[in-house]
Amino acid sequence: MKKKLLALICALVMIFSLASCGLSTPDTVGKVGDFEVSSGLYLLAQFSAYQQAAQLAGTDQDTTDVKAFLKATITTDADTGDTALVKDYVAAKTLENLESFAAIDARFDQLGGQLTDDQLQQANSYAQQLMDQYGSTYTANGIGLETLKAFEQLQLKHSLLLTLVYGPDGESPVDDSDLTEHLDSQMYELAYVNIPLYNTSTFVSASDDQKAQMLTLAQQAATAASCSETQDGSVSEQVSALHSAASAALPDIYAVLDSTPAEDASNVQTELLTESDLTGAFTQDGAADAVRGLVYGEAAAVQYNAASIILMMRIDPLQVSTLDALRTQILSDMKGDELEDALTAYGSTLENNLSTSAMNKMPASKIVNPSSSSNS
């Protein structure tokens, strides 16, 4: 009876994380600067570091076998050939992540930042969405909802730092003329219609000859949409011209694959793209260059990935939105890397008062990878 009672008490104590029969998880692992690192944030930083290492894994390395992968070697820089033991890489990246958390929090406070109730609610809502989507993985790795809330609040502070540092009233304000120049030369507002290179009923892909035929028809539609009157017109007139050209061309384009367009197939969407968006999404040869070569009001059609043609027109983003509405997006593209470098440098100067003994109770070998947790 005594043994059963002792086991019950021990189990209850473990549940409430106060102590256990020789096993416990600390509430915190110490501080970086004035930023207290909860055990949950430490585990999240470590889990993220492991995922960074997994992205560098070779084709013959199994990242779901965590203990084995931690003993493996990965190439950390393809250009120089630098390598690292995964265990060491994860430890270093975990510390970098924690320093980044601390730097974001400290700089936000230094610049007088304060999250509003609405912003806190937004961050908490994002955290709940993450938990709803990936809760089993987070739970398996000791990461709870409160940790995700703290993380999302840091993410929001990170975003707001762009304005606090580079905004009109910021520490190092960027002039509106510089923002406008960057928007005009390095970002691309597109009005576009996507054309699938497969039969939308049977999902049979187009042959190379069919793709070429469809692209020729789409390019004829682009020519029709980008007459001189259109280029000199308003954005609404330009979008209307693109819609009309698409409506006229799509039946013949879809007919190449014995298909018919849906009623909304010619609806025009708009999106502001950055250089990185172009290189990431426009994967076919010459597709990204075609976008870069467009002037406002000019249309073109290209095959931009293996499964789609895009019939597009470049339009003036400042006829779609105001500079103030686009400010954060422009600053992110223009100054995002600079801010990251500054935060990394600042974080590395903060005093490290992390507890080695506390961190050792949450080793990377205990990580549960998403693919392995889904099978359990």
Side-chain angles (χ1 to χ4, degrees), residues 70-90:
L70 287 170
K71 298 175 184 177
T73 298
I74 53 175
T75 300
T76 57
D77 190 320
D79 294 330
T80 64
D82 290 346
T83 62
L85 189 67
V86 173
K87 181 180 178 181
D88 295 338
Y89 179 90
V90 170

Side-chain angles (χ1 to χ4, degrees), residues 182-188 272-274 314 329-330 333:
H182 183 87
L183 178 64
D184 182 63
S185 64
Q186 301 294 322
M187 302 178 78
Y188 309 89
L272 182 60
L273 304 179
T274 65
R314 188 177 181 190
Q329 195 172 353
I330 303 169
D333 188 55

